[in-house]
Amino acid sequence: MYLFSLGSESPKGAIGHIVPTEKTILAVETNKMLLPPHWSRTFSWGFDDFSCCLGNYGSDKVLVTFENLAAWGRCLCAACPSPTTIITSGTSAVVCVWELSMTKGRATGLHLKQALYGHTQAVTCLAASVTFNLLVSGSQDRTCILWDLDRLTHVARLPAHRDGVSAVAISDVSGTIVSCAGAHLSLWDVNGQPLASITTAWGPEGAITCCYVVEGPAWDTSHVIITGSRDGMVRIWKTEDVKMSVPGQAAPEEPWAPSSPSPRVHRWEKNLALCRELDVSVALTGKPSKASSAVTALAVSRNQTKLLVGDEKGRIFCWSAEG
């Protein structure tokens, strides 16, 4: 593990978004995200007047201020599935899909394309996948809603979680959905059917703050999930297929025949197994700390040999898997 420095472009607060490119690593603070495909522009929110801004990466200069978002309350999260589509939500509990207008390469406005209603409390996290035309919103009302990203319509509502949803992610390879609520981690298929779940830690300090799905080959049915928590721990999970034995349906018998036990049948289920725990404090000082900084952002390099971790102090750590 080593501490990664971004030099003069280092974020000024807790890390909110990390993008590894072929040549370097880009990162911005919370309430800000980098826009694809070139990652040279940023979209930021969380201002006192509820406005949002478009800017250049590594600069405090604001290119455009969008004040029409203020009508939808305080923005708490955002996602950008394409260069001209920005999705926001927050205290209004309404998911807003915006279209970014461009003229000669310059942003000229942000126009509401669709407002999506379904949550009853503030929306705290968003994830989008263009590959599967899927948008997932997580809320303090303990639910996640799946939306069709193309038609902008409701698809499904996941069963209620144990706590308010704090982080969501989507695999662009399998469409698997990851949702985190408190210290509880859940996996769902692209249609919203449950795959696996586990409690990752105990106590409020173990609450999950961010998650990431490591993309594997399409033929591999296993999944690697990475979670970051308030306690400064990074946990790496992998799904395992386990054969379960359950009572089967007994064959019909004649009324006078003696009863026989129901046959046992087997089915395969997915379990989540902890592969590794990475402690930022131990990696830095060689011993655990009672005041560990919360993990706030996660990313994996394109060749999947480096794990990038951002914390609430604005630091980025890199674990290398090479060798």
Side-chain angles (χ1 to χ4, degrees):
M1 193 281 295
Y2 60 88
L3 185 62
F4 188 89
S5 175
L6 295 173
S8 60
E9 295 183 344
S10 294
K12 300 175 177 59
I15 306 295
H17 190 200
I18 304 174
V19 176
T21 66
E22 293 181 357
K23 296 182 179 180
T24 187
I25 295 173
L26 310 176
V28 290
E29 57 265 30
T30 53
N31 291 350
K32 185 180 287 189
M33 68 178 178
L34 292 150
L35 303 185
H38 305 298
W39 313 109
S40 58
R41 290 183 176 176
T42 61
F43 180 77
S44 54
W45 62 92
F47 303 104
D48 291 338
D49 61 358
F50 296 173
S51 65
C52 296
C53 299
L54 196 69
N56 285 326
Y57 175 67
S59 171
D60 292 330
K61 183 180 179 181
V62 174
L63 298 177
V64 185
T65 298
F66 306 115
E67 297 181 349
N68 50 334
L69 279 75
W72 299 94
R74 181 176 293 278
C75 180
L76 300 177
C77 53
C80 186
S82 73
T84 58
T85 301
I86 295 176
I87 305 167
T88 64
S89 194
T91 56
S92 69
V94 181
V95 178
C96 296
V97 182
W98 305 86
E99 184 173 5
L100 184 63
S101 302
M102 305 291 292
T103 303
K104 296 182 179 180
R106 294 185 178 184
T108 56
L110 199 62
H111 307 286
L112 183 63
K113 194 173 180 180
Q114 185 71 48
L116 304 175
Y117 297 85
H119 289 292
T120 58
Q121 294 183 38
V123 174
T124 52
C125 48
L126 295 165
S129 170
V130 175
T131 305
F132 290 92
N133 284 324
L134 183 63
L135 169 66
V136 178
S137 56
S139 169
Q140 289 178 356
D141 64 13
R142 302 190 300 153
T143 69
C144 283
I145 296 180
L146 279 53
W147 312 89
D148 186 305
L149 192 56
D150 191 26
R151 299 177 181 177
L152 300 179
T153 55
H154 180 279
V155 174
R157 181 188 296 269
L158 300 184
H161 292 64
R162 300 183 181 184
D163 206 339
V165 181
S166 58
V168 289
I170 307 171
S171 167
D172 277 328
V173 174
S174 63
T176 299
I177 300 162
V178 180
S179 62
C180 307
H184 201 71
L185 169 66
S186 300
L187 265 60
W188 317 81
D189 69 15
V190 70
N191 297 312
Q193 296 301 309
L195 295 176
S197 62
I198 195 171
T199 299
T200 63
W202 288 264
E205 68 279 356
I208 300 173
T209 51
C210 51
C211 61
Y212 190 91
V213 186
V214 179
E215 307 290 358
W219 51 261
D220 190 353
T221 58
S222 63
H223 301 84
V224 175
I225 313 298
I226 306 173
T227 59
S229 306
R230 289 182 189 170
D231 56 9
M233 297 293 294
V234 177
R235 296 177 173 91
I236 302 174
W237 309 85
K238 187 172 183 178
T239 58
E240 297 177 339
D241 290 323
V242 179
K243 184 186 285 188
M244 305 294 291
S245 178
V246 296
Q249 182 71 36
E253 299 176 348
E254 298 295 337
W256 56 83
S259 60
S260 59
S262 299
R264 307 288 293 184
V265 297
H266 297 89
R267 68 182 182 192
W268 290 92
E269 292 187 354
K270 286 189 180 295
N271 278 357
L272 280 162
L274 179 63
C275 297
R276 192 83 182 270
E277 280 188 319
L278 306 175
D279 190 325
V280 172
S281 297
V282 171
L284 277 177
T285 64
K287 56 183 180 180
S289 171
K290 293 182 179 180
S292 298
S293 297
V295 176
T296 54
L298 296 165
V300 172
S301 61
R302 293 190 177 186
N303 59 7
Q304 298 189 1
T305 61
K306 293 180 173 62
L307 168 61
L308 302 165
V309 179
D311 74 356
E312 62 182 350
K313 291 185 177 179
R315 301 174 298 184
I316 297 177
F317 305 91
C318 181
W319 268 273
S320 176
E322 294 176 331

